């Protein structure tokens, strides 16, 4: 009897181990920590505070649906690198803020706060095209020194990569996310001036600077 | 010993046949050219080869762009190619799929940004070559079955698949801000996989042949007539 219960116990343990093994076999973890090039172009004459929240810096997208494997995709470090690099080269001066809205340093014209609204991806077997695709949507917020909203706009990013050059699904997805993040940086850089509220803000700032220079010349 | 000798001669025969099939070339490549002006590459000038990635259905393969760039790069002959990734990074974000100039007119708008113009001039860019297209499997047939038994493992069957490459290269003269010409490369080929115990792939290198054909034509296209004939 003792031997029988011991045998049953062993069978149970083996079954649990197999089940746990199957579960982990279907779970995929992707960690993207890309480095991005510095944009080339003109700088806006502003001093800008960049606030990347803890959630943003450690952003992980998790998906566990019946029709798909389990995916945990960490893009936090990569998007932190991207936004710091791109925003850092867009303005005359940038300050990375550890907290917001309290203890805001003096002399800051704008504070920019990005948030991830959505991340989606498709695998080749779903689209029947040999391409991994990723979409990321960011909500962008700009505040003035007083904490009032100056502008809110959306950045959509798209990245894809063909399967042929990559070894694993994880590597392919990480590559597609890097492409999407580069696209987000490009949209942020080239689209900033096209946001009407920011265009007006930049124009007023430019006018103020011109007047200051004229006053200095007269004196 | 006799068995070993016959096995050796059989394998030699097999490799000779494979070599013959590979060398006989299962690929056909057709190159077309439309030229608006002659090449003017001078000492110190560089060429950039970039892939178009704006389509949602396919993307021009990075390895095809690498292949054309590496085949074309020949400083002794006067052709210096800047690697695609290096150039795209150096001019970020102006040559990303979403922001890249689609027409020569958009390129002149981009040159209004002084930092971008300076960097292009620093690189000595004379020509920008945009390659658009891809290689795809158009059809496949046959089947191969493999099995493992007490006597050993083995496969038996026959598989075949067709590949087609369709690329077009647009050559932009960066300094004169004009389209210098276009080169198209169409390649087709059939690959075979006979399997008698061991599957033996006889691959038609369609993309590679399209790359080599296009690179050879580009070299002729970009160099001034007297240099090209050398």
């Amino acid at each position: 009897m003792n031997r029988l219960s011991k045998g049953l116990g062993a069978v149970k343990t083996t079954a649990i181990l197999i089940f746990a093994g199957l579960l982990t076999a279907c779970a995929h973890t992707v960690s993207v920590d890309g480095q991005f090039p510095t944009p080339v172009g003109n700088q806006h004459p502003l001093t800008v505070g960049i606030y990347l929240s803890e959630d943003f810096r450690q952003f992980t997208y998790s998906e566990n649906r019946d029709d798909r494997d389990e995916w945990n995709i960490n893009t936090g470090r990569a998007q932190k690198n991207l936004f710091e690099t791109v925003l850092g080269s867009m303005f005359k001066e940038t300050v990375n803020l550890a907290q917001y809205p309290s203890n805001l340093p003096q002399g800051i014209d704008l504070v920019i706060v990005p948030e991830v609204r959505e991340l989606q991806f498709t695998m080749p077997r779903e689209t029947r095209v040999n391409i991994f695709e990723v979409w990321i949507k960011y909500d962008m917020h700009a505040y003035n020194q007083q904490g009032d909203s100056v502008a809110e706009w959306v950045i959509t990013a798209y990245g894809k990569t063909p399967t042929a050059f990559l070894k694993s699904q994880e590597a392919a997805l990480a590559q597609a996310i890097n492409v999407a993040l580069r696209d987000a940086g490009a949209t942020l850089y080239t689209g900033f001036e096209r946001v009407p509220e920011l265009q007006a803000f930049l124009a007023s700032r430019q006018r103020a600077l011109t007047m200051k220079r004229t006053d200095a010349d007269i004196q | 010993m006799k068995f070993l000798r016959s096995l050796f001669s059989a394998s030699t025969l097999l490799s000779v046949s494979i070599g013959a099939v590979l060398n006989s070339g299962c690929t056909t490549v057709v190159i077309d050219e439309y030229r608006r002006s002659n090449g003017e590459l001078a000492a110190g000038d560089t060429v950039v080869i970039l892939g178009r990635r704006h389509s949602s259905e396919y993307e021009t393969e990075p390895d095809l762009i690498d292949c054309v760039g590496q085949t074309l790069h020949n400083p002794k002959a006067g052709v210096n190619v800047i690697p695609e990734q290096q150039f795209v990074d150096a001019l970020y974000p102006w040559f990303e799929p979403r922001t890249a100039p689609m027409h020569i007119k958009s390129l002149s708008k981009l040159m209004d940004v002084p930092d971008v113009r300076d960097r292009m001039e620093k690189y000595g860019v004379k020509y920008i070559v945009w390659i658009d297209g891809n290689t795809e499997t158009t059809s496949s047939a046959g089947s191969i079955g493999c099995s493992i038994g007490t006597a050993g493992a083995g496969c038996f069957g026959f598989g075949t698949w067709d590949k087609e490459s369709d690329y077009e290269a647009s050559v932009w003269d960066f300094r004169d801000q004009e389209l210098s010409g276009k080169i198209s490369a169409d390649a087709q080929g059939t690959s075979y996989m006979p399997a008698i115990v061991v599957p033996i792939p006889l691959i038609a290198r369609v993309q590679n042949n399209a790359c080599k054909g296009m690179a050879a034509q580009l070299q002729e296209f970009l160099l001034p007539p007297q240099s090209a004939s050398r």
Side-chain angles (χ1 to χ4, degrees), chain A residues 165, chain B residues 49 53 61-73 81 83-84 131 167 205-216 218:
Chain A
F165 315 105
Chain B
I49 317 272
R53 311 263 152 69
E61 302 90 342
D63 61 346
L64 181 274
I65 304 298
D66 277 354
C67 171
V68 175
Q70 280 177 23
T71 314
L72 191 64
H73 182 71
V81 178
E84 183 183 37
I131 299 181
Y167 296 103
R205 304 181 74 201
V206 179
Q207 191 197 56
N208 194 265
N209 288 341
C211 151
K212 284 187 176 155
M214 203 157 25
L218 274 170

Side-chain angles (χ1 to χ4, degrees), chain B residues 30-34 166-169 182-186 214:
Chain B
V30 179
I31 304 282
D32 251 333
E33 182 187 295
Y34 155 70
D166 186 4
Y167 296 103
E168 185 180 73
K182 290 186 175 190
I183 290 168
S184 70
D186 295 322
M214 203 157 25

Side-chain angles (χ1 to χ4, degrees), chain A residues 40 156 160 162 165 182-183, chain B residues 55 59 89 92 94 96 98:
Chain A
V40 186
T156 52
K160 68 177 192 303
F165 315 105
R182 282 181 76 114
D183 187 41
Chain B
S55 169
E59 71 171 27
D89 282 354
Y92 183 75
W94 304 106
E96 296 300 298
R98 193 196 290 251

Side-chain angles (χ1 to χ4, degrees), chain A residues 71-82:
Chain A
W71 284 90
N72 292 297
I73 304 165
N74 181 295
T75 60
R77 187 188 286 187
Q79 62 194 21
K80 175 188 171 286
N81 290 345
L82 175 82

Side-chain angles (χ1 to χ4, degrees), chain B residues 124-166:
Chain B
V125 176
K126 169 66 179 165
Y127 290 107
I128 298 175
V129 181
W130 286 103
I131 299 181
D132 193 6
N134 71 333
T135 298
E136 57 184 354
T137 304
T138 49
S139 65
S140 58
S143 69
I144 295 169
C146 296
S147 61
I148 302 171
T150 46
C155 298
F156 187 78
F158 184 78
T160 172
W161 62 96
D162 296 333
K163 280 203 165 193
E164 209 173 306
S165 288
D166 186 4

